[in-house]
Structure formats: C-alpha cells, structure tokens
Amino acid sequence: MPLDSRIWGKGAGLGKDAHGGDHAHPLVCHLLDTAAVAEVVWDELLTEHQRNIVAAALHVTNEQARAIAAFWAGLHDIGKIRVPFQLHENGPRRGDSGKTPRAHELSVEPGYAFGDQAARDGQSHEAAAHWWLAGAFQEIGYPSSRRRPQSQLSHAVAQLLGGHGGRFHPVVHEKDARCPLARHPGLGAGSWEEQRRVHFDEVRRVVGATSVPQGRMTPEAAVVLTGVVTLSDWLASVEEGIRARLREEGWAGTPEDLDAYWQVARAAAPGLLRQTDLLGTGFAQPPAPAPGMESGLLASMARQLPDLVAEQGPGMVVVTAAPSEERTEAILRAAAVLGHAVNARGLFYALPTGSAADTHMAQVNDFAERALTGPWRSLLLHSSSRLKPAEAAAGWAHAQMTDEINAEPGEEWVASANSWLNSHHRALLAALGTGTVDELLQAVLPVKFNVMRLFALSSKVVVVDEAHARGAWGHQFMLRFLEWAAALRIPVVLAATAADRSVDAMLAAYRRGAGGGSEPVEQPRRLPAWSFVDAGSGKAHLPQQPAGSCRDSTLSITVVDGTPYAEIRAALAPMVAAGEGRAAVYRPTPAEAVRTFRRLSEDLPGAQVILIHEQMRNKDRWRRLAACRRAFAAEGGGCGPSVLVTTPMLEHSRGLPADLVVSGPAPLANLLARAPQSGRDRSRLVVLRADAASVLDDPALVRRTAILLGTGRAIALPGDLAELLDEVYADEFADRLGGTAARELGQLDNRRVVRERRASGTARWLAVPGPRELDGDLALLSRDHPGLEPELLSAVLGEELAHVVCLYPGTDEKGTSPRYLEYGVPGQKLDQPGKKKRPKPGQLVPHLIPVPKRVAETVEGDANETWRNMAALKNVIRLNMTEEGGEWVHFSSEYRFCMTEDGLITDQLP
C-alpha cells in the first residue's frame, strides 16, 4: 500500500490555500522534519559524553546511534494516525464551507471505515504512539520480553517516544502490545493500521536506520534521547518554518517525493537550531592563578582543582565558607575549571530566592564574559522574572523608552532575550541561566517535562549557592537531584555557609549517584574548606585545605527588648548623627516594611531611606534596587547615611554591603545571612526581641537562637560560624535549661521534628526514583500520586505566586471609559485589541505585582476569564481600582487591596 499523504500532522497557523481551506502539513513531512533536526541536535548540540551515553547503552557505534536517534525522533507522532485525531473538529478544514475537516474524505473510503467506539476513544496521540510502537519495534528485532516489557528495548523506546508531550505513560504489557486495537479502537484497523506501518517503514528507509540495537535503555540514555526527541519536535513544529516547507497541493508522498523532501528537511534543520541561540557556547581555558595568590580559599582551589579534575574527571566541588565575594569568585572559578574539562555548553547558577538571583545575575554575566566562548544567551529564571518571551522583551524595552527606567544591572537580559528560549519548558536550555534552586528541584518532581530539565542541565555546569537553605523539603529533593547529576556526570559546585550533616548528605548523594561506596564522608568543619567527589567512581577527595582561614571580622550582636520601632530609631541614631553609614532594616511583612519606611522618612530627614519589598510593581522594585546599590556602593556612591527597609526577600542578596543590620527574631542561619556584609573589622546586628518573626520561620529554631544569643554577644566571622550553628542545632540544647523553659522548648522541638520528618517522608515519596531505582519503567518519572494536589506542590516548592495588575479609571477622547495602568497617564492606556479585549502580555510586565496565589484567587468579577486561554496571562489577575478616602483600593471576598507609591498592601477583612 502506498503512503497516503492526506494524513496530516500539522495544521494550526499555516495559512489558507487558493480555495480558502486550511493548509495542512503531511504527517510524514513532519516526521522527517523532526528526524532531520535530530541529526543536527546530535551533531552540534550534544556533548561528546552525551553521545557516548547513548551509543554505549544501545551497543552500537556513534554513527549508528545518530541514525537510530533520528529514526526514533521521526516516529514520535506516529500516534496521530488514528481516527479521533485525523477527524478532529479543530483540525485543518476544507475550503468549501469551512466546516469539513480536510481528512473527512478518508472516512468515506472502505479501508478507513471505523465504528462509533473508535471516534469516541479518548487516548492521546502520544499514548497511541507508545501502545503501537511497542509491538512494531519488537517485530523488527528489538529486544523484548513478555514477562517484564519495561526492561527491554522495544518497550523502552516506545515508552520514551510516547513521552514527548512531557509525561511518560504506564507500561504496555505483551497482551496489549500484540493487539492494541482491542483496548483502543481509535487506532483504527484496515488502512489505518497499514498507514502506520507504511509511515514507520518509510521513515526508517529515508533516514537510513538499518541497524538493530541490542542494548538496553539506561536511565542516562533515556534522559539524553528524550531531550533529543522533544527538542527536535519543538523546533520542527515552529510554524514559520513549516510554512516555508509546505508541499504543493496534490503532493503524493511517493518514495521519490520522500527522498526529495528529506533533502529539503535536512537543508532547513541547521537554521532551525541556529535561531535558538543554543549553539557554539563553550568554556575557555581558565587562567593561571594570579601572582601573589598564595593563601586563602581561592588560592587553594586555583592551585589544586585543575589537577584533580585532570586526573579524576568531572565531579562535584563542595565549598563551605561564609558568604563573600571571595567565595563567589572561588565557586565560579571551580565552575570554569569543570566546564572546560568536559567541554560543557553553559552554566546554571541556582540561588534560594528570586531576589538573590536578581542581585547575582550581573556577577554571573561578568563571569560569563571571561569564561565562556562563542555566543551565549543569559536568562533570569524564577517565577517572577518573566511573563512570556517576546512580549516580555518588548514590554521591558518599551518601559525603558517611555518611563526612563534604569534597569538593575543584569536586567538588560529582558530586552534581548530570545523569544523561543524564554518559555517555561525551554528556558533551562539557555547557555547561561541565573535563577532559583526550584528550577533544579522540578527536574526530580513528577511534573510535566521534568526530564527535559535533566536533559538541559546534562550539558552544563550547575552551581548551587547556599545549597542548604531550603528546609527539609528542599533537602530531600536536592539529594535526589544530586544522584541524577552524578549519574549523568553533570559537574556541580555547591556552596554552603558552614559544613553540617546536610552538607555531608549531599556529598553522599552525589557519591551514590556515581556508584561510589556507602562509607560516610565528612566535609571539613573548619572554614573555609572544600572537597571534591569525582563522578566516574564516586570517590571523595579531600585536598590540602587553605593554609589558614581568612582574617576574621567581628560581628557585634545586640538583642534589645523595647518596642520595635523605638529600638530601630535608637539603633540608627548614631549613624544618622555621624552623617554617614549604611543600614538595612528587615521587617517581617510588606505591610510592616511600608509602615516603618514611612515613619523613618519623617523622623530621619537627613537620611536616604529606601523601601524594597516583594509586593511592588516590577519596575518600582527594579528601580529602587538599582538606587539602593548606588547608595550602598563600597566606594561611597551615596550621599550621607542610607537606610534600606526591606523584608526577608533580600536576605540572600549580594551587593548591598551594610555596617548595621536591624532584624526581628529569626533562626540563627537567617540572621547570619542578613548580617552586615561591609567587610569592615567591626559591624553590628541588632535583634528586636519584641518584634514578630516571619510566619515562614520555625518557632523552635527562633527560640533556640534567642536563648543562644541572650542579650547579645560578639562573634568572629567566619571563625565562630560552624561552632555556633552546631550549637543551635545540638540535640542536648534543651538539657541546659531548667523547668518551664526546657519543657516549652522541648514541645517546640518535638513539633519541629514531626514537621521535618513528615516533610522528608513526603518528599521521598513524591520525588522521582533515583537513576539506580528506575528499573526500566520511565513512567515512574511521571507517575501520578494519589493526593498530589497543587497545595502539596506549593508546600514543596514554596507558596505559589500569581500576579496582579492594578488598573485605574479614566476617559479617552472617544468618551469611553477604558482602564489605565497609570492613573492620569494617557500613554498607559491598557491596550485591549480584538473582540475579547485581551491585552498584550508584554505591556503588563513592568506593572505586575507578585502576590500569593491564594490571595489573588479571592478576586472575583475581574474580567480575567477573557485572559484564561492565554498562557502568558494564566496567573495574572486584574484589580479594577476605585478611589476611597484618597486611596486606590479594591475589595475581594476576603481581602482589601490598597495600592500606593510604596507598593500593594493586602489586609484580610474581618
């Protein structure tokens, strides 16, 4: 039976033909497009190690593995040869009435006959590919098994290709693989089955994948091949490219036609990949240590790490030191050594919070200028960093031109970010990323396209700064990620403030993933320190440590008992009187930060007071952070005393050196993260005992810290850091107390232990299996857990955020009443093109305000239903503001929203 070119594969966005009907791209053309792109991905994007992983697993040569990977990529959509897909009401239509599907003529031919059950079959085309291909691969000689299909190659490849939509499907057992029609009549018999076989055979013939692999699908090979197939499908599906390759009406799809089209697809494929800005990035040879660099952490690593990596191969470097410019430079230098050694294609720098990522991005970009070769794109990756690719870029550029916003250093990425890369599932592919650790952790959560995250990272160096700052949930997921990282031989650099049991566990996890022994290994407790685990054997190496710790500075901690605002003023008074100095005041909530800012602005007329909190418009937060950096610059960019009022959002941020920090109660690790970073011999931290702690802080650790600090103490940093952290976490801490205090702390400790054990247990249950536990079943990477509700993921990854945009009433020249993004600014009219009045997403970017999703969802009647089918606006809620008592407010069913020049304040209604 000849191939039927009427079977379509792509139809949306391809324009109209001469008769007014929708253009359709034959399925076989899309399959060949994808195979051609896979060849280029294999040749130009994969590292040598990634290619070797696949060839070794399949027991074939690299050239054979290349052809096989292209063949498999070309089969990914063969499940579209099924009744419901071809005749779907949203498919391409004929030009007669605009209502008849182009493939309708198939249904009236005897060979394509089908019953009612076939038309109603709800199986997806991805699952259909899995079910049908399991038997097809078995027929051409791929290893198979009736007893354990998931352990054999025929099923593993089918399952992998069925997962190109982001999730793998459950195992198809032998009885179903022999006759998939019995369970899923939508596959269709007769000509439907014949066309699947013809398409299969023709793709194999054209691509030239004649060899039959006899190996098995290892977890590492599954990650690489999933990435090749999925990325190739994404690129081959770009509508602009498809329109350029459309065949003329009546194209028959004969073998000669297919051979000719294969040359067209191959010629187009390199251009598709070049447009992504993924190609050509590498690491330069790291420079030799600078003359005079004889001691300290940076010198120790610069002298020894290159030789270790040259002898042992890539692995994980663990650095324990107090946060400083030297530590950041040391971990970036380690990343450069590892990246050059493995010819990595880029770097991802992960931090605990989005605000920390914002402030680190400039330094990471500066590093890339020195360390990376070839072209590279830099993206900022966290939940509040972007809305939608091209729209966000255009919106930020427009905001810069019209509002004269000075971008924070590092924010320039927005105007130049590539639109194809900057999307939720593709962004980690960018050569350079600075973002939150959640972007890594989602690689080991059963979320859509989690394996694509592993693939994106498998060719990079991964840096995790403040690796221990995630709590029990994040710790368990980090351990699982490190197992996968070692199995994939991803070079990793971890940085932590001090060595403890959690750091030891991370060392052990990487060793486990690399196949190392189970004997414990301990990170040196003295600061600063570093160690190395090679990914080849899992062996731990403790090189000669820095000759001596860096010079200690003294941090004077004072605990005060008065009312919070009075104590804040008292702490700032000497600095203001002296007419110089820099201070940071941490408040537990945005509302408290606003109140403190307003009072200090009135009471300290000689000081520059700057407010930054999370519930500000993007452009206001960016502008104020840039102003704060200028005021806090080490060389004295500010004039007179400067005071930053903020929330815990900035506790892991860099580049804001202060002489004095004032904070409410918090766990010791958090207080030390907020502590002054001025680098002077003596700096001050004032703790407000009477202030409220953040709701995110553990009460037991807050209480332990308060007891440990007493009325205050002077500590040497970093010399005393490890000992202090060990002391505050010590099991016998409560034994030193007596009576009521011991009982109260014991109760808090018990609750903390229960929470942490519950969190750790749930995290272990929720995380995907490790690479050595997968047992051949890729569906375990996508399994649906009973009880896996959005609330649980929010607890794991942190509270989910939505964005609100405040809109103000006005009247235009036509006498209508549109809404404006700025009150009284005609140029900021909300652009609402089309009948559905949906704004351009990029227009909103500078005006978005992140708020907890649970708060935003209480807003009703906000016309947001007209935005719901736009992915970019899915989590954007509009607040139609009204003026009340001189304030702009909006009421939801549970909250009062008040927008001022100082940001959005949300108060729960009584």
Side-chain angles (χ1 to χ4, degrees):
M1 183 179 187
L3 185 141
D4 193 338
S5 62
R6 295 174 297 176
I7 293 176
W8 63 276
K10 293 290 181 180
L14 302 184
K16 302 288 185 179
D17 60 24
H19 306 291
D22 297 326
H23 277 304
H25 196 45
L27 176 62
V28 70
C29 292
H30 175 59
L31 301 184
L32 294 177
D33 289 340
T34 308
V37 174
E39 288 186 334
V40 183
V41 170
W42 181 276
D43 292 339
E44 300 192 32
L45 187 63
L46 296 191
T47 64
E48 182 180 1
H49 174 63
Q50 288 174 314
R51 292 191 289 266
N52 290 340
I53 283 176
V54 176
L58 301 183
H59 296 172
V60 295
T61 66
N62 269 22
E63 189 60 30
Q64 289 171 328
R66 175 184 185 270
I68 290 169
F71 170 46
W72 292 349
L75 295 177
H76 74 288
D77 265 354
I78 203 165
K80 289 183 176 179
I81 307 178
R82 55 190 300 273
V83 175
F85 185 89
Q86 289 299 312
L87 302 180
H88 197 279
E89 61 180 8
N90 292 329
R93 299 180 180 278
R94 296 165 59 100
D96 47 10
S97 63
K99 297 181 180 179
T100 307
R102 287 183 65 95
H104 178 72
E105 59 192 278
L106 298 178
S107 63
V108 299
E109 296 181 9
Y112 288 107
F114 58 88
D116 291 341
Q117 285 185 318
R120 294 195 299 268
D121 188 0
Q123 187 184 41
S124 68
H125 78 270
E126 295 97 341
H130 176 181
W131 276 64
W132 188 81
L133 286 170
F137 285 127
Q138 184 176 345
E139 289 179 11
I140 65 170
Y142 283 32
S144 60
S145 169
R146 293 185 179 184
R147 296 188 61 187
R148 297 194 72 257
Q150 67 267 35
S151 66
Q152 299 300 325
L153 190 63
S154 57
H155 181 274
V157 180
Q159 191 177 42
L160 184 149
L161 296 179
H164 74 268
R167 290 188 181 278
F168 299 106
H169 301 278
V171 170
V172 177
H173 293 283
E174 175 69 15
K175 60 183 177 64
D176 292 322
R178 283 199 306 268
C179 187
L181 271 169
R183 290 282 300 276
H184 291 287
L187 284 167
S191 295
W192 298 101
E193 175 65 16
E194 291 177 2
Q195 284 302 314
R196 282 191 291 273
R197 292 182 179 277
V198 172
H199 279 70
F200 182 97
D201 291 340
E202 284 294 85
V203 170
R204 189 183 189 197
R205 179 190 67 81
V206 172
V207 173
T210 56
S211 58
V212 177
Q214 295 299 313
R216 65 186 185 90
M217 186 66 70
T218 64
E220 299 87 345
V223 169
V224 175
L225 287 166
T226 297
V228 171
V229 171
T230 306
L231 177 57
S232 300
D233 179 35
W234 287 347
L235 292 170
S237 300
V238 174
E239 293 169 3
E240 182 181 359
I242 295 175
R243 288 195 294 269
R245 300 188 299 274
L246 282 174
R247 300 294 89 190
E248 65 277 3
E249 194 72 23
W251 183 78
T254 65
E256 294 75 18
D257 289 338
L258 297 180
D259 290 338
Y261 185 79
W262 178 235
Q263 299 310 313
V264 172
R266 274 182 146 179
L272 293 174
L273 197 58
R274 281 195 297 269
Q275 292 173 10
T276 66
D277 296 313
L278 291 176
L279 300 179
T281 306
F283 276 82
Q285 173 74 48
M293 187 188 293
E294 299 175 356
S295 63
L297 175 67
L298 186 57
S300 173
M301 293 178 65
R303 284 196 310 270
Q304 300 178 76
L305 182 60
D307 291 338
L308 262 177
V309 174
E311 295 168 5
Q312 308 297 333
M316 181 173 75
V317 176
V318 180
V319 178
T320 44
S324 66
E325 291 297 322
E326 183 191 21
R327 188 185 82 171
T328 303
E329 191 61 33
I331 61 181
L332 286 173
R333 185 181 181 90
V337 171
L338 291 167
H340 177 72
V342 300
N343 193 26
R345 299 299 177 88
L347 175 139
F348 180 70
Y349 197 110
L351 293 130
T353 65
S355 300
D358 291 345
T359 59
H360 276 71
M361 189 175 182
Q363 186 172 5
V364 175
N365 282 0
D366 288 343
F367 159 79
E369 294 283 359
R370 304 190 307 270
L372 296 185
T373 60
W376 49 269
R377 284 287 183 183
S378 176
L379 293 184
L380 185 63
L381 306 177
H382 58 77
S383 61
S384 299
S385 68
R386 63 188 184 274
L387 185 62
K388 192 68 176 174
E391 296 91 342
W396 181 247
H398 175 74
Q400 285 182 304
M401 289 185 292
T402 58
D403 296 342
E404 297 181 351
I405 298 173
N406 292 318
E408 175 202 349
E411 286 292 349
E412 296 86 351
W413 70 276
V414 185
S416 61
N418 179 275
S419 63
W420 187 89
L421 270 181
N422 190 19
S423 72
H424 181 61
H425 297 306
R426 302 172 189 155
L428 275 178
L429 291 165
L432 187 67
T434 309
T436 55
V437 72
D438 294 341
E439 300 287 341
L440 301 181
L441 301 187
Q442 290 179 70
V444 292
L445 278 167
V447 297
K448 199 171 184 181
F449 290 111
N450 55 350
V451 177
M452 282 302 293
R453 290 176 179 269
L454 284 174
F455 170 72
L457 296 167
S458 67
S459 61
K460 292 184 176 59
V461 180
V462 173
V463 175
V464 186
D465 205 342
E466 298 297 345
H468 56 306
R470 290 294 303 172
W473 288 105
H475 178 63
Q476 290 299 327
F477 291 127
M478 180 59 71
L479 298 183
R480 184 54 47 85
F481 170 75
L482 290 174
E483 288 183 51
W484 276 98
L488 290 164
R489 300 190 73 183
I490 300 174
V492 176
V493 184
L494 294 183
T497 298
D500 58 13
R501 287 175 294 183
S502 69
V503 174
D504 296 341
M506 286 186 270
L507 274 167
Y510 197 85
R511 294 185 68 208
R512 187 163 56 249
S518 59
E519 64 275 7
V521 60
E522 188 175 275
Q523 177 77 0
R525 287 332 194 225
R526 189 188 67 177
L527 298 181
W530 67 285
S531 63
F532 176 74
V533 176
D534 73 79
S537 67
K539 183 179 178 181
H541 306 268
L542 293 177
Q544 182 180 354
Q545 296 300 305
S549 62
C550 57
R551 186 171 64 89
D552 286 342
S553 62
T554 301
L555 173 64
S556 176
I557 304 176
T558 306
V559 181
V560 294
D561 294 312
T563 59
Y565 183 72
E567 296 290 1
I568 291 171
R569 278 203 60 187
L572 296 175
M575 186 184 80
V576 175
E580 63 177 4
R582 298 158 296 187
V585 178
Y586 283 86
R587 309 299 289 128
T589 65
E592 284 294 332
V594 170
R595 281 191 282 270
T596 302
F597 165 75
R598 290 174 177 173
R599 294 185 67 179
L600 289 177
S601 297
E602 293 179 0
D603 296 346
L604 305 178
Q608 179 184 12
V609 186
I610 302 170
L611 172 68
I612 302 174
H613 61 81
E614 53 267 44
Q615 288 184 190
M616 288 179 152
R617 296 184 303 180
N618 280 341
K619 66 174 187 176
D620 295 333
R621 190 172 61 255
W622 292 333
R623 180 190 290 124
R624 294 189 186 202
L625 191 51
C628 189
R629 277 181 160 169
R630 290 192 295 271
F632 277 50
E635 59 272 15
C639 214
S642 299
V643 180
L644 166 65
V645 181
T646 187
T647 62
M649 69 172 287
L650 286 184
E651 69 182 20
H652 292 290
S653 299
R654 297 285 173 263
L656 299 173
D659 309 303
L660 166 69
V661 170
V662 184
S663 171
L668 182 63
N670 300 72
L671 288 177
L672 294 177
R674 301 171 193 175
Q677 303 168 21
S678 66
R680 299 187 182 183
D681 289 340
R682 197 164 188 87
S683 50
R684 296 177 57 214
L685 170 63
V686 176
V687 181
L688 311 172
R689 196 195 304 273
D691 201 10
S694 169
V695 295
L696 300 177
D697 291 336
D698 184 89
L701 294 178
V702 172
R703 179 70 62 84
R704 281 170 168 253
T705 300
I707 294 170
L708 179 68
L709 295 180
T711 59
R713 61 193 296 174
I715 62 175
L717 293 179
D720 295 341
L721 189 56
E723 182 180 346
L724 277 173
L725 290 173
D726 282 343
E727 186 176 355
V728 82
Y729 280 101
D731 293 335
E732 63 276 9
F733 187 93
D735 297 341
R736 300 178 234 157
L737 308 176
T740 304
R743 287 194 299 273
E744 289 178 353
L745 182 58
Q747 291 174 352
L748 292 174
D749 281 340
N750 288 338
R751 293 172 191 159
R752 174 171 62 90
V753 170
V754 169
R755 281 193 300 271
E756 289 185 350
R757 287 182 178 174
R758 182 184 299 145
S760 297
T762 304
R764 284 192 292 268
W765 163 75
L766 183 58
V768 303
R772 303 185 186 283
E773 304 164 0
L774 202 55
D775 196 29
D777 184 5
L778 299 181
L780 296 177
L781 299 174
S782 305
R783 67 187 189 273
D784 290 326
H785 292 282
L788 179 55
E789 302 296 334
E791 293 76 13
L792 180 57
L793 281 177
S794 296
V796 174
L797 298 174
E799 186 167 38
E800 188 174 359
L801 295 178
H803 290 84
V804 299
V805 59
C806 296
L807 302 177
Y808 303 90
T811 303
D812 62 12
E813 63 279 1
K814 299 179 181 178
T816 59
S817 301
R819 289 279 170 170
Y820 292 85
L821 292 164
E822 302 269 7
Y823 179 67
V825 182
Q828 289 296 326
K829 177 181 176 181
L830 183 64
D831 188 8
Q832 296 179 330
K835 296 180 179 179
K836 295 185 178 181
K837 297 183 178 180
R838 297 182 300 185
K840 295 178 181 178
Q843 184 187 16
L844 303 182
V845 172
H847 302 272
L848 295 180
I849 304 169
V851 297
K853 192 172 183 179
R854 59 178 170 79
V855 174
E857 288 181 339
T858 65
V859 177
E860 299 173 356
D862 69 334
N864 199 47
E865 288 303 315
T866 63
W867 300 1
R868 286 298 184 191
N869 63 343
M870 293 184 69
L873 299 179
K874 183 178 180 181
N875 287 320
V876 176
I877 308 294
R878 58 184 285 168
L879 299 182
N880 291 330
M881 311 302 288
T882 57
E883 193 170 13
E884 181 182 276
E887 295 181 321
W888 288 107
V889 299
H890 181 96
F891 289 90
S892 75
S893 58
E894 299 180 27
Y895 292 89
R896 176 182 184 266
F897 299 85
C898 180
M899 185 63 189
T900 71
E901 62 181 4
D902 297 324
L904 182 70
I905 305 300
T906 57
D907 295 312
Q908 191 157 13
L909 297 175

